[in-house]
Structures are given as C-alpha cells and as structure tokens.
Amino acid sequence: MIEGESMRGFLHKMRVQLNDPVDYYLRVDDAEFHLNPLIGHRIQLTFHGRIQCQHCGNASRKSYAQGYCYPCFKKLAQCDLCVISPERCHFAAGTCREPDWGQKFCMQPHVVYLANSSGIKVGITKPDQIPTRWIDQGAVQAIPVVQVQTRQQSGFVEVAFRTHITDKTQWQRMLMADDPQVDLAAIRDNLFRELEGEFQSLQNRFGTDA
C-alpha cells in the first residue's frame, strides 16, 4: 500500500507477527497490507454502510457477537454465552449447539496466563495462540501459568484468579504504553499460595492433569 492508494472491502481481524517491533497486517477481503511502513502517516477509514456476516457471508443490518448476522448468532455454538464465560460450558450435558465444533474448540488443551497489560490480568488461550493473544491485548509481559485439558477447566482456573486480579484490559491505559515491568513469576507464585485450596479442589474434581 502506497501513498494515495485506496482500497474497498470487508475488514477482518488484523494479523500480527512477533518481531521487534511487532508487525501488524490489515486484512481487507482476501488482501493483506503491512501497516508498519505507514506508522507516522495519515490513513482514513470510511464506513460505507455494508455489514457482512463473518460466518455465512450474508448481508446484515446489524452485527452480533463481533461479526455475525442474527440467524448465525442464534444457531452457532461459537456465539453461545459459554464462549465468553467458559466455566459455563455445557458440552458434557449434551446441550452444545454444535457438538463437532465444541469437540474441536472447547474440548482441547487451554493455557491460563498472566499478562502485564494495563496492569496485571489473567486470561486463557489455546497453546497455538501464544504469543498472538498476548500481542492482541497489548501485553508488555506475559507468562503461561498452567495448561489444562479443556476450555471449561481453564474457565474455572480463571474464575479462581479473578478473586485476586482482573481479567479485563483497560484499553485507554494500554494505549499509553507506560506499564512498568514487574516480576510475573513472583506474582504467579504468590497467587498459587493464596489459591492453594481452590486449585486442590479443581485437581480433585478433574484429576492431576487439570
């Protein structure tokens, strides 16, 4: 993309790549544009009033759950509340909207991590999304804490951590990029000590590999 060039299409989630500095790529339809050379330059985004479902591709008057039309929002398991609150996963109860999708997405190993992003926060992700997830959240530091067998189990661990630290990123503060370096390993060890009872209960419930 060069000065004076314009493009038109549907936006998708940016792709990032860990380098020094991090590389960012804007995705428009099937095209991808490296944004780092544009740092310091002026760009303009214009909304032309068209919304397209990221799953079925149909036009929609409104976007639901970060990019879906209403019919997809109502029928897809990936739009269920348990995606946001994984401890509410009901796959084992046999009520998942899409069992095949749930098997591939939820019934897989997940990592619980600590990140320094507008303060210390806890989060969960799949192993293959490290470090992409941390970059997406603007973390200046991050460490894995524990790996569990399913997404629901990671949700239970995250809930335990939330009694002491947040699971939210304050994006306004994050953009200031002034988070001081901290000893995440020491914070992790201290949380393990404070939450020993909760973790023991989870291990008793799910087994020693949880």
Side-chain angles (χ1 to χ4, degrees):
M1 190 159 58
I2 60 176
E3 184 176 357
E5 182 179 350
S6 64
M7 71 194 85
R8 183 166 181 161
F10 289 98
L11 289 175
H12 301 273
K13 182 180 181 293
M14 282 201 301
R15 184 173 72 85
V16 297
Q17 185 173 349
L18 183 60
N19 281 310
D20 187 14
V22 172
D23 284 302
Y24 290 88
Y25 297 86
L26 182 68
R27 298 167 58 219
V28 181
D29 288 339
D30 295 328
E32 189 174 81
F33 301 92
H34 192 197
L35 290 180
N36 290 51
L38 298 179
I39 294 175
H41 296 265
R42 183 174 181 175
I43 63 173
Q44 179 176 322
L45 300 178
T46 302
F47 176 52
H48 291 281
R50 294 184 61 200
I51 300 175
Q52 177 176 301
C53 177
Q54 66 169 321
H55 180 77
C56 69
N58 289 337
S60 178
R61 291 192 301 172
K62 183 178 178 181
S63 183
Y64 298 84
Q66 300 184 1
Y68 299 88
C69 65
Y70 189 72
C72 286
F73 169 69
K74 293 295 291 183
K75 74 180 182 181
L76 295 177
Q78 57 198 280
C79 296
D80 208 341
L81 181 62
C82 54
V83 173
I84 303 300
S85 301
E87 69 277 7
R88 299 186 183 186
C89 176
H90 46 94
F91 183 91
T95 54
C96 181
R97 301 181 193 178
E98 299 174 275
D100 289 342
W101 181 88
Q103 186 68 50
K104 294 176 182 178
F105 182 77
C106 302
M107 307 305 289
Q108 300 295 328
H110 279 69
V111 171
V112 182
Y113 63 85
L114 294 179
N116 184 6
S117 174
S118 70
I120 308 305
K121 70 177 295 291
V122 62
I124 65 174
T125 192
K126 286 186 175 181
D128 62 2
Q129 287 300 301
I130 295 174
T132 300
R133 179 63 173 164
W134 300 341
I135 296 171
D136 288 344
Q137 295 186 334
V140 296
Q141 294 173 271
I143 58 169
V145 172
V146 63
Q147 181 167 311
V148 294
Q149 299 170 338
T150 68
R151 183 174 176 82
Q152 184 188 45
Q153 291 174 11
S154 71
F156 286 128
V157 175
E158 185 181 44
V159 167
F161 273 106
R162 285 207 307 258
T163 61
H164 290 73
I165 58 176
T166 185
D167 64 338
K168 300 291 190 293
T169 298
Q170 301 176 31
W171 64 267
Q172 298 95 332
R173 178 179 169 184
M174 179 194 70
L175 292 177
M176 297 173 65
D178 61 352
D179 292 312
Q181 297 284 306
V182 297
D183 189 342
L184 284 180
I187 294 173
R188 173 201 61 197
D189 294 344
N190 185 57
L191 287 168
F192 273 139
R193 286 191 293 269
E194 294 184 359
L195 296 168
E196 182 178 0
E198 288 87 340
F199 290 147
Q200 185 61 57
S201 295
L202 289 174
Q203 287 186 333
N204 292 340
R205 179 177 178 182
F206 297 111
T208 56
D209 293 334

